[in-house]
Amino acid sequence: MLRKFYALFVVSILIFGCKSGGEQNTGDDFKVPEAVVNEGVLEISEEVMQDIVQNIASPVEMAALVKSLDAGFSSKYLAPTENVDDLTTSYQQAFHLGIYAADLGYLNIYNKNNSVIEYITAIKTLADGIRVGQFFDFSTLKRLTQNSQNLDSLMYTSVHSFNQMDKYLRSDNRSNLSTAMVAGIWIEGLYLATQVAKASPHPQLSERIGEQKIIMSDLMLILGNYKSDKNFAKLFDAFNQLKAEFNNVTITIEKGEPEMIEEDGMLVIVQNDVSIVNITPEQLTSIIKKTEEIRNMLISI
Amino acid sequence: MKKFLKLIYLSIFLISTEAFAQDNVELVAQCAASAGDVTYLKDFVVKLDAGVPGGNPPSAKFSMVLSKSTQYRFSICTAPDSDGEAILQLFDMNVLQGSTYISATGKEFPFFDFKCQKTGVYHVFISFKEGKPGEAVGILSFVKKL
């Protein structure tokens, strides 16, 4: 009886051990870099953090909005990738990973496959740096960029890779790096929106920028958790300056009941609660200016 | 002897967790593809135990930010070997906005679209009919700007 248990145990350890080894295949050095593991007591629980952080910033949605407004593509909105090897701390790598994720979303939405390779290469380097490279399917992405018909697959693979990395970081007790990544995605998305608004103002874009006030509150709550780390303290202070620019933006809600309709056998829910954003041209100008200043400061090494 | 049993249970648990994670990757990809001509944004992977008789069915909660003037699609795919059939519900605070199962009519939908008019935090709940145990994947996709 005991011998059977031994055998089962050894087999199961072997199977699991092989699987784990495969997933960890991201480089030769498996030492935990500094600031990778959460330190200190969190002000809000990990559970609440996970509740807040989902979809706080999407690498796709802001770019999709910009494209839907017929704004032309501009490579000058993208963050440069040439200094990626100089990003050596886990914080820098995670934050820039978020920045490049947003840029990759912008490139994908506009089907700019020629530039995608540069960004997926940078992302792969950073992902390996914080030991989540196993979730970034570089070879598939590289192959997909070679055919402009693969936009859907390219988009799915890249967004899914980021979701996997984010989930893994949080489950691996590294929510701080997940937060840095999300903060990078968010500020780059806001930078893109504000730059487009600067070049070609549009009411829908102004409204979307103004309503970032709501998202910023949640983001600040999360960032505040890690203020004891000097990198996060710097990020928190920078975002706090930006938050001040949103103080006078007002958002009101008109209440209404949701409607359920069936269209061609498909269920469609129309929300009748409506949020109305009041943002003046002066407020918008200040937000554009401050976003540019902060984003450029944060991406400089 | 007890220690050996514990180790065996633990290793079996770890193996099944790994296998479930691998299956999920495929189920997420299939579910995202079945959502139609939309852009995948997020997935919600769920594995729940059976509920207590007479109690509320267990559910998993996910919170997310949705943006105004955007049409989203919420899809649900029950894993092939799942006992229970999954239901996805969307809430704004405590107000139900939409569900893949309309209890009044008994109608089921593999997905529903949500025309969002208010930026904010929303909550997705995934549960299984009659509180059965089950595995499922929910998908949030971007349809279009309104």
Side-chain angles (χ1 to χ4, degrees), chain A residues 66-224:
Chain A
V66 164
K67 196 182 178 196
S68 73
L69 300 176
D70 291 330
F73 174 83
S74 173
S75 60
K76 70 179 182 185
Y77 301 149
L78 301 169
T81 61
E82 61 261 29
N83 295 327
V84 72
D85 292 329
D86 298 331
L87 302 166
T88 52
T89 70
S90 302
Y91 165 80
Q92 285 176 325
Q93 290 167 339
F95 180 75
H96 279 77
L97 210 143
I99 293 279
Y100 296 144
D103 287 344
L104 182 61
Y106 181 53
L107 289 164
N108 283 342
I109 286 277
Y110 278 86
N111 215 353
K112 298 290 177 188
N113 284 6
N114 292 343
S115 307
V116 163
I117 195 76
E118 175 190 336
Y119 281 81
I120 61 170
T121 304
I123 289 165
K124 176 67 177 158
T125 304
L126 299 176
D128 283 345
I130 55 169
R131 298 183 293 121
V132 290
Q134 67 270 36
F135 299 108
F136 192 72
D137 195 347
F138 180 76
S139 53
T140 302
L141 283 165
K142 193 177 172 187
R143 181 173 49 77
L144 291 171
T145 58
Q146 277 144 25
N147 185 342
S148 61
Q149 302 303 310
N150 289 331
L151 179 63
D152 288 348
S153 305
L154 184 62
M155 191 74 87
Y156 173 78
T157 308
S158 52
V159 176
H160 186 247
S161 295
F162 283 108
N163 289 342
Q164 293 284 89
M165 285 191 265
D166 183 46
K167 276 183 201 172
Y168 180 73
L169 284 172
R170 284 186 277 132
S171 69
D172 197 34
N173 199 27
R174 294 191 286 161
S175 292
N176 53 343
L177 297 186
S178 159
T179 301
M181 193 169 94
V182 168
I185 294 174
W186 181 78
I187 192 69
E188 190 68 353
L190 182 62
Y191 176 76
L192 169 65
T194 51
Q195 288 302 301
V196 173
K198 189 172 150 184
S200 42
H202 193 286
Q204 208 177 343
L205 201 48
S206 305
E207 188 175 39
R208 177 57 67 87
I209 292 166
E211 68 192 14
Q212 296 305 305
K213 180 179 182 174
I214 302 168
I215 295 165
M216 209 169 184
S217 303
D218 282 343
L219 196 52
M220 294 300 285
L221 194 64
I222 303 166
L223 287 175

Side-chain angles (χ1 to χ4, degrees), chain A residues 287-298:
Chain A
I287 291 169
I288 292 170
K289 198 175 158 199
K290 185 56 83 178
T291 304
E292 188 174 340
E293 179 191 320
I294 283 172
R295 179 267 195 181
N296 290 340
M297 182 268 289
L298 291 171

Side-chain angles (χ1 to χ4, degrees), chain B residues 13-27:
Chain B
F13 168 76
L14 290 172
I15 292 164
S16 63
T17 306
E18 284 291 297
F20 179 59
Q22 187 53 42
D23 289 347
N24 284 342
V25 172
E26 284 162 28
L27 190 58

Side-chain angles (χ1 to χ4, degrees), chain A residues 54 61 167 207-208 275, chain B residues 43 63 68 72 117 145:
Chain A
Q54 290 269 348
E61 285 187 68
K167 276 183 201 172
E207 188 175 39
R208 177 57 67 87
S275 57
Chain B
D43 57 78
S63 304
K68 186 184 174 180
Y72 295 96
Q117 294 300 344
K145 297 305 302 176

